[in-house]
Amino acid sequence: MARSQILRYMQEYIADCRNEIISELFGKTSQGKMLRSKLLLAVSGIHEKALRLCAIIELIQSASLLHDDVIDNANMRRKSPSLNALFGNKNAIMLGDVLYAKAFFELSAYENAIAKSVSDSVCRLAIGEIEDVFMAQSFNTNMTRYLQMCELKTAALIATSAECGALLAGLDSQKYRVYGNNLGIAFQIIDDVLDITQDSEVLGKPAMSDFSEGKTTLPYIYLYERANEAQRQELLALFCTPLSQDSIAWLREHLYMYDCIQDSITKAREYAFCALDSIQGENNAHLQEVVNNMIEREF
Ligand code: FPP
Ligand code: MG
C-alpha cells in the first residue's frame, strides 16, 4: 500500500539522522491523510521515485505544521496533543528544522525542475504563513487578501504535488500546476468552513479556533459584509478573544443566518471547478476523485 511505503521512507530518512532525540520526537508526531501524496501519485502513477518524493513532501508538510502549531500556540493536532504541547516550543521548532533540512537533502537527488518546484513552494508557504500572522493582527475584511494568503500558505505545496507528479510522468506540468493551485485554494476554504461547522471531537482540535486566533476566514468576511451595525460591533468584540459557548452559538447562528457557510462552500466549489477545467482532456478519473475527497470532506 502506498501510504505505508511512504511512511517507511519517512522513517528511513529520520533514521539516517542517527539521533535518538529526533527519532523519539518524530515518533510522537502523527501523519494525516497524506492528501498531497495521493494527488502526486494520482498524476505520476505509483513507483519508487514518486513514493520517495511523496515522503519528502510529507516531511515538509509535517515540518510546516510543527512550526505552525508553535506560531498558533495550538495544543492539539490530529486528535492528539501537539508536539509543542508535549515537549515545548523549542523542541517542536528544532524537529521541524530537521525534517525540513532532511527533506531538502533528499530532494537534491531529483532533477532540477522538481527541486525548483518544491523549494519555490516552500518559500511561498512560508511567505503565506507570515501573511496569515500579519493579517491576524486586525479583523481582515479583504477577501482578495484572504484568497492570496490561502494560495501561498496552502495551495503552493498542493500545486507542487500535482506539478511534480506531471514532471515525473512526462505530462504537461503547467496544466497540473494550475489544477493543484485551484484545488489548494478550495481545500483551504473548506478547512476554514469545517473549523466552524464541525465540533472539536471531529476536528481533533478546538472548534472555531480560527476566529479566537485572530483569523478572519472567508465565512467571517461574508458575515462582516452582511451584518447590520449592531451585529458588526458584536462580531468585532468577539474577534481574537477566547470564545464562550454563548459566543460560539451567536457566531454560528449569524454565520448560517446570512448564508456565510453556504456561500463559502460555493466559492470553494468554484475553485474546484476551475481545477477540473484546467485538466480537461487529461483522461484521469483519479483527479476528479481527489477533488471530491478534498472538497466533500467532513474533517
Ligand atoms: C496551517 O495553517 C499551516 C500551513 C498550511 C503552512 C505553515 C507554514 C509555515 C509554518 C512555514 C514554515 C515552513 C517549513 C517547511 C519549516 P492553519 O493554521 O490555517 O491550519 P491548522 O488549522 O491545520 O493549524
Ligand atoms: Mg494552525
Side-chain angles (χ1 to χ4, degrees):
M1 215 204 125
R3 181 186 168 87
S4 46
Q5 189 57 54
I6 296 168
L7 285 170
R8 269 196 293 276
Y9 288 139
M10 290 170 80
Q11 296 285 359
E12 179 191 313
Y13 295 150
I14 297 306
D16 277 353
C17 299
R18 294 175 193 281
N19 182 281
E20 271 178 32
I21 304 168
I22 295 301
S23 296
E24 193 201 328
L25 291 176
F26 183 70
K28 302 285 181 203
T29 62
S30 50
Q31 298 309 313
K33 299 185 279 287
M34 295 197 176
L35 295 169
R36 289 150 194 83
S37 294
K38 283 183 187 153
L39 172 56
L40 192 153
L41 296 174
V43 183
S44 68
I46 300 179
H47 52 82
E48 183 178 347
K49 193 174 174 185
L51 289 164
R52 284 192 179 273
L53 187 55
C54 288
I56 291 169
I57 289 175
E58 296 301 338
L59 284 180
I60 293 171
Q61 172 66 8
S62 294
S64 73
L65 294 180
L66 285 168
H67 286 189
D68 179 68
D69 283 342
V70 171
I71 292 165
D72 289 344
N73 209 5
N75 291 322
M76 296 291 287
R77 169 66 61 188
R78 295 164 179 159
K79 304 195 179 190
S80 303
S82 59
L83 206 87
N84 47 306
L86 289 173
F87 298 99
N89 286 347
K90 289 181 186 176
N91 286 308
I93 291 170
M94 290 183 297
L95 178 64
D97 289 344
V98 171
L99 302 191
Y100 176 56
K102 180 63 178 154
F104 268 70
F105 176 79
E106 297 299 331
L107 182 66
S108 66
Y110 281 77
E111 43 274 54
N112 226 336
I114 290 179
K116 269 188 171 173
S117 172
V118 176
S119 48
D120 178 60
S121 75
V122 174
C123 186
R124 287 160 65 81
L125 77 99
I127 293 170
E129 184 79 353
I130 292 178
E131 278 285 326
D132 200 17
V133 169
F134 269 78
M135 280 165 65
Q137 287 172 356
S138 58
F139 194 111
N140 173 55
T141 57
N142 184 330
M143 194 189 302
T144 307
R145 200 171 169 208
Y146 161 81
L147 291 169
Q148 278 168 351
M149 184 274 294
C150 292
E151 193 172 1
L152 290 164
K153 185 181 76 166
T154 308
L157 200 54
I158 295 178
T160 280
S161 304
E163 184 180 29
C164 289
L167 287 165
L168 287 172
L171 300 168
D172 181 342
S173 58
Q174 178 57 21
K175 271 191 190 176
Y176 285 86
R177 185 176 177 76
V178 175
Y179 162 84
N181 193 50
N182 285 304
L183 178 59
I185 298 170
F187 177 82
Q188 185 59 51
I189 296 173
I190 294 296
D191 216 54
D192 295 341
V193 165
L194 293 175
D195 182 79
I196 296 164
T197 57
Q198 298 293 26
D199 59 32
S200 52
E201 190 72 12
V202 176
L203 290 171
K205 59 178 182 178
M208 303 197 82
S209 50
D210 284 344
F211 199 61
S212 43
E213 282 170 14
K215 296 179 184 178
T216 38
T217 57
L218 188 56
Y220 297 100
I221 295 174
Y222 281 136
L223 181 54
Y224 182 85
E225 282 173 1
R226 296 167 188 184
N228 65 33
E229 193 46 40
Q231 291 161 341
R232 252 189 200 185
Q233 291 313 318
E234 177 88 33
L235 182 65
L236 291 172
L238 293 177
F239 172 68
C240 212
T241 60
L243 295 173
S244 67
Q245 286 308 312
D246 281 354
S247 305
I248 289 180
W250 186 91
L251 283 168
R252 281 203 176 118
E253 183 195 337
H254 288 80
L255 285 160
Y256 279 107
M257 191 168 91
Y258 283 110
D259 291 330
C260 308
I261 301 296
Q262 195 46 51
D263 290 350
S264 299
I265 295 171
T266 302
K267 178 71 92 186
R269 291 206 175 116
E270 282 167 20
Y271 278 101
F273 180 80
C274 288
L276 288 171
D277 197 45
S278 58
I279 41 116
Q280 248 189 17
E282 288 298 296
N283 202 17
N284 185 336
H286 286 314
L287 297 175
Q288 169 82 54
E289 201 184 309
V290 170
V291 171
N292 291 345
N293 289 343
M294 284 207 192
I295 307 307
E296 311 299 335
R297 67 199 162 98
E298 291 185 340
F299 63 93

